[in-house]
Amino acid sequence: MRSALATDSDLLNAIEDRGYRITSTRRVIAGAIEESPDGFTAEQICGRVPGVGRATVYRAIKLFHEVEVICKMALPDGAPRYAVDTGGRHHHHTICTGCGAVQDFRASTIERVLKAIEADVDGQITGHRMEIYVTCQTCLASAD
Amino acid sequence: MRSALATDSDLLNAIEDRGYRITSTRRVIAGAIEESPDGFTAEQICGRVPGVGRATVYRAIKLFHEVEVICKMALPDGAPRYAVDTGGRHHHHTICTGCGAVQDFRASTIERVLKAIEADVDGQITGHRMEIYVTCQTCLASAD
DNA sequence: GTTGCTGCAAATCCTTTGCAAGGTT
DNA sequence: AACCTTGCAAAGGATTTGCAGCAAC
């Protein structure tokens, strides 16, 4: 029965809904991800799931990203960082360059601007990427 | 005399102004970059400067980026792409996901929005990244 | 003549892939 | 039973680094 397999994990539910299997390994990885409210890197997850192969972690992250339950973003140097995509509606993120903490960020103004921009652009807009880099309160405080 | 050494290359002038040396190798690399109106990747430049070591090309690109005469951006998959930063004032780019062509893009609205956002953000904004992905006219046409 | 730059090759980092074994439906 | 997943190790690609020789100032 499917309901018996359902978990309280949005991540696992999402992949199950798309026909991927729920395995014990994926449960562990999903758990590690969901314990990362401030975002995470692949390497951080690897460190939190001893015994699970690095490749499996990367495959799982790619899977979660594919089914759109985690967002992928980039630090200023281009290094990838991920965050659980709670909610669902399109949004952007602020990333602390000190500690990497990610916060959601929804500004309807930006969406409106992007729509307006479409007219000025030579070609057809297919997507966009936007990240706001910050020094978070915690890092600001500890720098004093 | 400095004026005798000055070139018509903005790239070379920029590094010279910061105390870096102008060498024949850097002239060649700068030339290859300036022949790339649509942006370029490190690998593309390597291909256009036979005889110059890959490491030197990467070092030069990093240097030009450091003195802010080229911009670094990212394709949807995170792969880096560069473009000459003519002008100077802050701007963004559209990148064609088909051919990689980069175009400048200056929307004062965006800057205004970003400034407004500052109030809503938890922390201090230190920077941002924004790329608009498009299918350019050329690619649209050839897809027909 | 200093000091910085270059090329080569090796090293590194991050991520992906091949494959045989084991798990899930 | 059939097919998906996993772990390991190896491959892969992109960028960096050490170092000795060469070039610019």
Side-chain angles (χ1 to χ4, degrees), chain B residues 2-49:
Chain B
R2 163 167 287 211
S3 59
L5 292 172
T7 70
D8 54 353
S9 161
D10 290 337
L11 301 193
L12 295 176
N13 286 334
I15 62 174
E16 187 187 26
D17 287 349
R18 305 266 191 129
Y20 296 108
R21 291 183 182 170
I22 295 194
T23 65
S24 58
T25 307
R26 285 179 178 165
R27 270 182 221 281
V28 173
I29 296 172
I33 289 177
E34 286 166 337
E35 278 170 12
S36 310
D38 288 341
F40 57 92
T41 62
E43 210 49 43
Q44 286 171 344
I45 300 302
C46 287
R48 284 189 221 142
V49 292

Side-chain angles (χ1 to χ4, degrees), chain A residues 103-125:
Chain A
Q103 296 216 323
D104 276 18
F105 183 89
R106 191 163 294 128
S108 53
T109 8
I110 289 192
E111 303 310 316
R112 244 180 284 134
V113 168
L114 286 170
K115 215 158 273 174
I117 282 170
E118 187 129 32
D120 297 339
V121 164
D122 162 60
Q124 199 165 76
I125 293 184

Side-chain angles (χ1 to χ4, degrees), chain A residues 2 5-7 11-20 22:
Chain A
R2 165 166 286 210
L5 292 171
T7 70
L11 301 194
L12 295 176
N13 286 334
I15 61 173
E16 188 186 25
D17 288 349
R18 305 264 192 130
Y20 295 108
I22 294 192

